[in-house]
């Protein structure tokens, strides 16, 4: 009986040992072995390395967020929900338009003004120009004139009674350059600037301008009055000149004649 029990127990122990040897052994890490120590050390180094890399990365992100470029980029992002609910700002108030000539308060004179425009066939600007010319050049009339072929045309405000200078200098004598002098502000070239050419000589202060198509000098800039114009009365249109008084000027002795003359220097002044 005892012998059978011991045989059975031995059989059981033998079966357990065979099962244990047949089953694969689970890998275990023993800190005391050299291989385990190297494994733990590499694991700890990898962990510390990943933390070191993560730290500068987070530092870079923090600096990037605080940089001006990041702030500019963040401005283009949509506003947070609480700001999106706010009403939009009101549009800017348009500037008040300035009053034009058509909106001027003419009072009781409006009907007269409109009637005057219709009779004279003038626009509002044309009527205003006529009024300004009449007021600014009191006692003067508007003369018009030009060259022979019509390429050069001008207008000039001067008296209806003209004071003409007849100069006997070398060039004025040859081309019979009789002229009256006006300030530059009273002269206006209407057309033909591209047809005008200029001749100068000696001191080159006098600008002898003439039409290069027909050769007529209807006006020029005299040496005596470089700030004005000398207008040829024989080139004016008919109907505005009432009388002419001619004065001889000794241009052949120009310096002496200028010293002796009392008024010619100031004829181009306002």
């Amino acid at each position: 009986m005892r012998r059978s029990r011991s045989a059975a127990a031995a059989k059981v122990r033998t079966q357990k040992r065979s099962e244990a040897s047949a089953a694969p052994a689970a890998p275990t890490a023993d800190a005391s072995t050299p291989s385990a120590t190297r494994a733990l050390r590499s694991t700890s180094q990898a962990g510390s390395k990943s933390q070191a890399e993560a730290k500068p990365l987070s530092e870079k992100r923090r600096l990037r967020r605080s940089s001006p470029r990041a702030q500019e980029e963040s401005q283009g992002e949509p506003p947070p929900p609480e700001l999106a609910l706010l009403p939009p700002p009101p549009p800017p108030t348009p500037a008040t338009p300035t009053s034009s000539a058509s909106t001027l308060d003419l009072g009781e004179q409006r009907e007269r003004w409109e009637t005057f425009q219709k009779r004279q066939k003038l626009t509002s600007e044309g009527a205003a120009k006529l009024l300004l010319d009449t007021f600014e050049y009191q006692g003067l009339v508007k003369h018009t004139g030009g060259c022979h072929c019509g390429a050069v045309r001008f207008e000039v405000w001067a008296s209806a009674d003209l004071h003409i200078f007849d100069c006997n200098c070398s060039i004025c004598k040859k081309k019979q350059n009789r002229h009256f002098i006006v300030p530059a502000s009273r002269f206006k070239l209407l057309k033909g600037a591209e047809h005008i050419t200029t001749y100068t000589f000696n001191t080159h202060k006098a600008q002898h301008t003439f039409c290069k198509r027909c050769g007529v000098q209807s006006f020029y800039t005299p040496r005596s009055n470089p700030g004005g114009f000398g207008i040829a009365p024989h080139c004016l249109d008919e109907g505005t000149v009432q009388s002419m008084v001619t004065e001889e000027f000794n241009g052949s002795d120009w310096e002496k004649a200028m010293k002796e003359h009392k008024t010619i220097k100031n004829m181009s002044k306002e």
Side-chain angles (χ1 to χ4, degrees), residues 117-185:
Q117 283 184 249
K118 291 179 181 179
R119 286 178 180 175
Q120 302 297 328
K121 298 181 180 179
L122 295 172
T123 63
S124 180
E125 181 183 0
K129 182 180 183 300
L130 179 62
L131 176 63
L132 290 171
D133 290 342
T134 304
F135 177 77
E136 288 181 338
Y137 304 117
Q138 292 184 13
L140 305 179
V141 297
K142 181 170 70 174
H143 305 280
T144 58
C147 66
H148 181 263
C149 67
V152 177
R153 294 289 297 170
F154 65 86
E155 66 180 29
V156 57
W157 286 88
S159 173
D161 303 308
L162 301 177
H163 186 97
I164 309 300
F165 289 100
D166 186 5
C167 181
N168 65 353
C169 74
S170 60
I171 189 170
C172 288
K173 185 177 181 179
K174 284 184 175 293
K175 63 180 180 179
Q176 297 294 296
N177 183 28
R178 290 180 290 273
H179 58 274
F180 64 96
I181 300 173
V182 297
S185 60

Side-chain angles (χ1 to χ4, degrees), residues 68-269:
R69 183 176 179 181
Q71 292 177 1
E72 293 178 0
E73 293 176 354
S74 63
Q75 291 178 359
E77 297 178 356
E82 58 271 13
L83 294 180
L85 297 176
L86 295 177
T93 305
T96 304
T98 56
S99 58
S100 61
S102 60
T103 60
L104 291 177
D105 184 11
L106 299 177
E108 297 178 356
Q109 308 304 318
R110 175 172 293 279
E111 185 176 353
R112 289 182 59 195
W113 179 260
E114 294 176 352
T115 303
F116 174 75
Q117 283 184 249
K118 291 179 181 179
R119 286 178 180 175
Q120 302 297 328
K121 298 181 180 179
L122 295 172
T123 63
S124 180
E125 181 183 0
K129 182 180 183 300
L130 179 62
L131 176 63
L132 290 171
D133 290 342
T134 304
F135 177 77
E136 288 181 338
Y137 304 117
Q138 292 184 13
L140 305 179
V141 297
K142 181 170 70 174
H143 305 280
T144 58
C147 66
H148 181 263
C149 67
V152 177
R153 294 289 297 170
F154 65 86
E155 66 180 29
V156 57
W157 286 88
S159 173
D161 303 308
L162 301 177
H163 186 97
I164 309 300
F165 289 100
D166 186 5
C167 181
N168 65 353
C169 74
S170 60
I171 189 170
C172 288
K173 185 177 181 179
K174 284 184 175 293
K175 63 180 180 179
Q176 297 294 296
N177 183 28
R178 290 180 290 273
H179 58 274
F180 64 96
I181 300 173
V182 297
S185 60
R186 297 182 187 174
F187 175 86
K188 182 179 181 181
L189 181 65
L190 300 177
K191 71 171 186 175
E194 68 278 10
H195 294 290
I196 295 176
T197 188
T198 304
Y199 171 70
T200 63
F201 69 100
N202 196 11
T203 63
H204 302 282
K205 291 184 179 179
Q207 304 290 311
H208 296 272
T209 50
F210 58 94
C211 176
K212 57 186 177 182
R213 179 186 292 177
C214 64
V216 171
Q217 176 181 292
S218 55
F219 65 91
Y220 83 114
T221 303
R223 179 183 174 187
S224 62
N225 287 264
F229 288 95
I231 312 299
H234 46 272
C235 289
L236 296 180
D237 299 333
E238 296 181 356
T240 55
V241 178
Q242 293 182 357
S243 65
M244 290 188 292
V245 176
T246 303
E247 177 186 354
E248 293 184 355
F249 183 78
N250 187 20
S252 59
D253 194 357
W254 193 88
E255 285 78 8
K256 181 180 178 181
M258 286 295 295
K259 289 180 180 179
E260 293 177 351
H261 206 283
K262 303 299 181 183
T263 60
I264 192 171
K265 293 180 181 179
N266 300 322
M267 301 200 79
S268 61
K269 295 181 179 179

